[in-house]
Amino acid sequence: MTGKAHVFGDNINTDVLAPGIYMKPPLEIMARHCLETVDPDFTGSVAAGDVLVAGENLGIGSSREQAVQALQHLGIRVLVARSFAGIFHRNALNFGLMAVACPEAGKIRAGDWISVDADRGQLTNQTRGENYACERLPEPLLTMVRDGGLVAHLEKTRGGK
Amino acid sequence: MQGICHVVLAERGHLRPGMFVVGGDSHSRTGGAFGCYMFGVGATDMAGVLVTGEIWIRVPRTIAIDISDPLPVGVSAKDVILHLCARLGMGGARYQAIEYRGSTIAGLSMNERMTLCNMAAELGAQAGLIAADATTASFVRAVGADAGDYRDWQSDPDAPVSQTHKVDAATLAPHVAAPHSPANSAPVGEHAGVTFQQAYIGACTGAKLEDLHMAAAVLKGRKVADAVHLLLAPASTRTTAAAAADGTLAALTEAGAILMPSGCGACAGYGAGVLAADEVCIASTSRNFQGRMGANSSKVYLASPYTVAASAVAGHIADPRDFLQGDDT
């Protein structure tokens, strides 16, 4: 998985990812407001296959899954952060969105081309020619993400029942 | 609509010491007040639990928060947790389980314990826990449930903890968290005089029966300032009924509070009370992230029900202790 990095700081919360006042309209409308509080240009510049990079505690706050769905809708394919808030991390994996914790995420700059090898727990910054070690997810979670998330995984492993 | 799930689960006897529970909200950590291990997950995780009866969890380490001495008049569990948000930082607990303990906790009611565990979410804790004791057992029995062997659910004396934080409750002042993070909290004096258009007593963390009692202790016989409106959204329909029966609701509405339905409401950006552009609100809720309660340019200050009520009367952020002198509250 290779994509262009969009870089954010620490404590990016679920209210800026999925603002409460846009929870009732359809997802595509809410997604237009994803992260506008911290970067009004984000939704205009993000493209399919891009990588969202953040500092500590990405996704602190609510359990709302729309925080993940909005990013997916906009085309984000991988999340990289120095650390994740617990529920947001689970939600991302449950929706089949790879989310890897990387202590060196702070070395990535906006626009860098990043490739993530989640199976090996390695991230490559192609723009800078650097490799960063990241936390390798346990095998059952890697399998779930590969299957497309929790629902798809349960359908597969439980015969669609 | 019965109210906010965290309060409804407790008041209907669904939480008992020793249970392992998941709920579909980040403030599901509230259940830790009952000696349950309870945490929040997303809706898909909940569906997985319903289908399989199973869930995975990365086992957290433990942070001990030792709180000693009784809280002073006008200071509540909300002030303790706002103080901790400033001290540990937003997410400072880094997915660990917090155990609140010490003589302050032993003397706290279940409503107040729920507030502490609820806002373990703001500390980024995986769970916020309080060991079950006689207070827990008597609450659980009063709502018709079996407290079981509640004394069994204690931490081992030699259980490892990664950090210990001590809080001296006796010297704690009422706290207010400035926009846009609960970690921006400081003693109320630092924000005294800030004006606002709306005061809001609501949410799982700030509109339980005892929260309403705190507000009424300040508001009884007083009036909300002309320049502000005070919205009151009790956490559950049973809370509203109990507050009506004991005279609390009358004290609040006679002071000028506007009664609203029970639910997450404006705290999460829904329904009446959502903030327009540039509006400022002081709220007994749990989070004040930018844009959470309405327009991006709106601002939310977080405080205890005492402080929200005192500020509503004053028309600006005010110290509730000035309204409670001589009261035995």
Side-chain angles (χ1 to χ4, degrees), chain A residues 63 65 86-87 89-91 93-94 140-141 144 150 153-154 158, chain B residues 19-25 28 37-60 95 126:
Chain A
S63 62
E65 294 180 323
I87 302 177
H89 197 198
R90 302 181 74 97
N91 287 344
L93 303 177
N94 285 339
L141 292 180
M144 181 180 80
L150 180 60
H153 176 70
L154 289 178
R158 298 172 75 89
Chain B
M19 291 175 77
F20 181 82
V21 197
V22 291
D25 186 84
S28 293
Y37 193 98
M38 184 163 186
F39 61 102
V41 296
T44 302
D45 251 339
M46 282 302 280
V49 171
L50 290 171
V51 170
T52 65
E54 296 174 354
I55 193 163
W56 62 271
I57 180 175
R58 187 157 56 87
V59 178
Y95 189 81
Q126 213 278 330

Side-chain angles (χ1 to χ4, degrees), chain A residues 11 13-16 19-21 23-24 36-38 56-57 60-65 83-87 89-91 93-95 135 141 144 150-151 154 158 161, chain B residues 24-26 29 39-45 48 51-52 55-58 90-91 94-95 121-124 126 268-270 274 287 289-296:
Chain A
N11 293 316
N13 67 65
T14 50
D15 285 282
V16 302
I21 51 173
M23 292 286 270
K24 281 192 180 158
E36 69 180 359
T37 305
V38 287
E56 301 286 357
N57 208 15
I60 181 78
S62 161
S63 62
R64 60 184 72 161
E65 294 180 323
S83 64
F84 289 91
I87 302 177
H89 197 198
R90 302 181 74 97
N91 287 344
L93 303 177
N94 285 339
F95 274 81
E135 194 175 79
L141 292 180
M144 181 180 80
L150 180 60
V151 171
L154 289 178
R158 298 172 75 89
K161 288 181 205 144
Chain B
D25 186 84
S26 59
R29 294 158 167 103
F39 61 102
V41 296
T44 302
D45 251 339
V51 170
T52 65
I55 193 163
W56 62 271
I57 180 175
R58 187 157 56 87
M90 191 74 206
R94 293 173 169 270
Y95 189 81
E122 278 51 62
L123 296 172
Q126 213 278 330
Y270 310 131
V274 167
R287 280 184 196 139
F289 298 147
Q290 189 172 1
R292 174 173 174 83
M293 206 169 171
N296 257 338

